[in-house]
Every structure is written in C-alpha cells, then in structure tokens.
DNA sequence: ACCTGAACACCGTTCAAGT
DNA sequence: ACCTGAACACCGTTCAAGT
C-alpha cells in the first residue's frame, strides 16, 4: 500500500493544503492514515523526503521546443521553470530552491539552456557562466515570490503620504521618491524585465564575439 | 542582564558555532545560561527573533561612498551587501534571504542603489525594476553560496570521464560537453559575472534613453 | 517485507506562581 | 519587572517486537 511515490505526493498535498510549515513526517503519515515510523520503510529520513519533493515538483517542468532564436528560447525555458516551481503552493518553491542544484531534475532545464546558448555560438565555459547567472536571477525571483505577500500595495494616499515623509526624514530620499512604485509588485513583470535584460546581454555578447572572429 | 541585543547576538553565535539547524530558543537560552522561557520577556516569539537576526546581520553592511560612475557604484554596493550577508556562518545567509525584504535594514542598500541609478538619469519606475532585478540576482547567488558545498570539484579524470559518458547516454549531450566547467564553481567569479552583465545593461539602457531625449 | 509500541532527545509556547 | 516549574502539543528517529 505505502510506497515512495505515494508518500511524496502526500507530502506535496500537505504543503498545498496547510503550507510548508505544516510539513512533517507525522503530518504526512496522518494524511495517509499510517504511523509516522512506517515511512522509514520507504524513505531514508526527512532530508531525503525533501529531496524527493523538490525532484517531483521540478519534474513537472515541460521543456519548450527550441525555436533557434536564443532570446525566445531562454525566455521560454525560464517561464517553464518558473511555472513548474510555482505549480504547487507558493511555499513549496522555497523547498525546491533550498535543495542543492545537483539533483537530477535540475539537469533538464540545464541541458535546454546550454543547448540554446551553444547553438547560438557560446563557448562551453562562457555558457556555464551565463546559465549560472540566469539561474541565480530565477532563484532570487522565485524566492521573492514565495516570501512576499501577494503585493505590497498601500496606495491609499492617506497612508502613503505620511510614510513617504517618514522615509525622507530618515535620509532615504530616493526610497521616498520611488515609494509609489515600490508599493506595487507584479512578480511576472519583474521576472520578464530581468530575464529580458539577461537574454539581451547574452545575444549582444555572442554577436560581438562572432564579429570579432 | 538578559536583553534583546544580547539574545540576538547569542543566536548569531549559535549559528556561527553549530550551524543554522542548531538554532532554537532552547539552544540560545542554553548558551546564555538561562531558561528558554525567559527569552519571552524580551522577544515576542521565534519569528521575531529571526527577523532581528536578519536585521542585525544586514546592519553590518557598510555602504560604499558613491563615485558617480554607475557601473562602479552598483558593483561596490553589491559586494558590500554580499560581504555583510556572508559575514557570519554561511548558513546565516539563508535566514536573511528568507525574511521578507520589508525589513528596515534592507532600506540602506536600497537607498544607495536607487541613488546611483537616479543620479545616472534613471526614471523612478525604471529604477525600481532595475533594483529588483539586481536584488533577485544577488539573492539567488547568495542562496547558491549557502547551499552549495565549497565546490563541486571532481577533476579526477578517472571519475569525470565515466560521468560525462553517463550524461551523454541520458541525452544530456550539452551538459556532458561542459561538465569540466560545471565541476568548478567560484562563487565570487560568478557573482562578478552576473553583476557586471546587469550593470552594463543598465548603463547602456540609460545612455540610449538619454540619446533619444 | 512491512508495520507499530515503547522510548528518547528534542521543539515552541502559555500561564500561574515565585522573587 | 523579570525569571521559572509544570504542562501541553508538537518534532525526528531507533529498535525490538509483532504480523
């Protein structure tokens, strides 16, 4: 009855239903109507379960077909990765991000990104730097999505006005100046902004290297 | 005797000495020779303690003086942020990163980055996007530094050779191709690569906007 | 082969009682 | 004002005993 895949799915269900904080061997076992100690017949320990969850979440990623245009492909891969990571409860993403990237599941997007970069003429060592910068940006973006409440919206001028004045008093004049924009946070828009910048930079760099050769 | 700053410092000491996993109200109290429940006279709960730790770690950041050159200033601020975040045990950084960015301590680097961008002619809304992209990259980079073992080095060709063959067999031909570069990870180098790309992109974008105006 | 009872060394937190 | 004893509802994990 009990099996590794069943346990992993139950763990994801716990996170989806009650948040990442509620995840424990005991809560997973409770959901399965089983004693927590029984899980040890199928998983090594809690750490291994967390690895398996991260693996399972990432394995839902659908790698988009390459179009041959580097910018298009990089953006499509980044979106696919983000969609997979966010496909469960928002908090599940922190679990994926806090596992070391050597998990097998990470290799699929890695392969796709490297393929896109190298098809566009990137040399191996440079491609590795580029993919690492991209992954760092994606990780940081998802971490923010997970830990930020929906938005920071406080558009009520009755609140915003005094707050800006307080910021200016603290010497944070520039923060005060942009406060209206800081109070709005559209995760997807920020994601696209950053990925677009990186993709543009990669395209430009490769074109420049090609022109020199 | 007991006080909030003393408790926060003891908590950081616990992390430095025994890692983030060993941090608990009880371990902090033990280090202070006090009962864990006594801490509640000075902190609200564990969450508040974690916030205070993040605040304290980030407050060590020394904001560099502005030079007026956007690229130079952005890179200097990023390095200062990284240095502060890594000034304790590597694992302490995950604590800082997992707290929402609305903490007061985040405002110092935010102000400096916005000032650099706007001095270079950035409009408020665009400056906010730029600073968010930069912070996402920095967060992702630090998260990798915290969760990755020192390096992934496995340069022994007797190990590397078969591993690359195995990767190629899985259809991961590009991963196999770059495996020698993936096995080496210099955190600072990767950090500089990414920050450099972002800074270059911002400088170029602002120059372009200025030329159009 | 798989499950569980007893047991251990942990957690965060409340509240009433002590100084 | 600050500290603690008693108490509660949790954790992960081992190991011997059961089916």
């Amino acid at each position: 009855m009990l099996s590794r895949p069943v346990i992993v799915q139950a763990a994801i269900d716990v996170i989806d239903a009650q948040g990442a904080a509620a995840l424990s061997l005991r809560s997973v076992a409770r959901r399965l109507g089983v004693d927590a100690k029984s899980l040890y017949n199928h998983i090594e320990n809690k750490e291994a379960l967390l690895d398996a969850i991260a693996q399972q979440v990432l394995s839902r990623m659908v790698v988009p077909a390459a179009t041959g245009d580097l910018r298009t492909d990089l953006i499509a891969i980044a979106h696919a990765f983000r969609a997979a990571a966010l496909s469960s409860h928002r908090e599940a993403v922190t679990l994926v991000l806090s596992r070391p990237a050597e998990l097998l599941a990470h290799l699929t997007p890695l392969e796709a990104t490297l393929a896109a970069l190298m098809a566009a003429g990137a040399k191996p060592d440079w491609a590795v730097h580029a993919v690492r910068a991209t992954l760092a940006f994606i990780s940081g973006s998802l971490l923010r999505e997970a830990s930020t409440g929906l938005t920071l919206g406080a558009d009520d001028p009755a609140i915003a006005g005094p707050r800006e004045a307080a910021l200016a008093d603290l010497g944070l004049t520039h923060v005060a100046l942009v406060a209206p924009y800081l109070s709005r946070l559209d995760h997807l828009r920020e994601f696209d902004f950053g990925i677009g910048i990186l993709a543009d930079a990669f395209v430009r760099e490769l074109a420049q290297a090609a022109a020199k050769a």
Side-chain angles (χ1 to χ4, degrees), chain A:
Chain A
M1 207 55 257
L2 217 46
S3 73
R4 205 181 151 86
V6 166
I7 292 171
V8 171
Q9 187 52 53
I12 294 176
D13 291 344
V14 168
I15 296 174
D16 286 351
Q18 302 158 61
L23 179 68
S24 71
L25 293 184
R26 287 165 129 109
S27 66
V28 171
R30 215 176 295 130
R31 171 168 283 259
L32 291 169
V34 159
D35 190 287
K37 301 185 278 349
S38 301
L39 304 181
Y40 282 90
N41 287 300
H42 304 92
I43 59 160
E44 300 64 36
N45 50 35
K46 193 185 183 185
E47 280 295 293
L49 175 58
L50 297 181
D51 278 344
I53 295 171
Q55 193 89 236
Q56 168 67 15
V57 167
L58 261 192
S59 76
R60 293 199 278 238
M61 173 174 170
V62 181
V63 178
T67 68
D69 179 65
L70 178 58
R71 189 173 199 279
T72 305
D73 288 344
L74 284 180
I75 291 174
I77 296 167
H79 277 142
F81 185 94
R82 176 174 179 270
L86 294 177
S87 59
S88 283
H89 192 286
R90 299 192 100 62
E91 293 177 33
V93 78
T94 57
L95 235 159
V96 175
L97 296 176
S98 62
R99 303 279 103 196
E102 282 89 62
L103 295 176
L104 254 181
H106 266 288
L107 293 179
T108 318
L110 180 60
E111 169 69 19
T113 309
L114 288 171
L117 286 165
M118 293 174 78
K123 296 212 275 192
D125 60 336
W126 189 85
V128 168
H129 291 310
V131 75
R132 280 181 173 151
T134 307
L135 184 59
F137 170 76
I138 294 175
S139 299
S141 297
L142 292 175
L143 190 63
R144 177 169 55 210
E145 294 203 39
S147 67
T148 302
L150 299 177
T151 36
L152 308 178
D155 289 317
D156 184 351
I159 297 175
R163 195 184 48 179
E164 289 172 32
L167 289 170
D169 282 352
L170 283 168
L172 303 172
T173 56
H174 295 86
V175 177
L177 264 173
V178 306
Y181 301 100
L182 280 175
S183 72
R184 297 204 148 278
L185 174 52
D186 180 333
H187 291 299
L188 182 54
R189 203 182 181 76
E190 303 295 346
F191 190 81
D192 284 335
F193 180 90
I195 284 291
I197 280 182
L198 290 173
D200 285 342
F202 296 157
V203 168
R204 197 178 297 111
E205 179 76 23
L206 288 173
Q208 208 168 302
K212 218 187 305 188

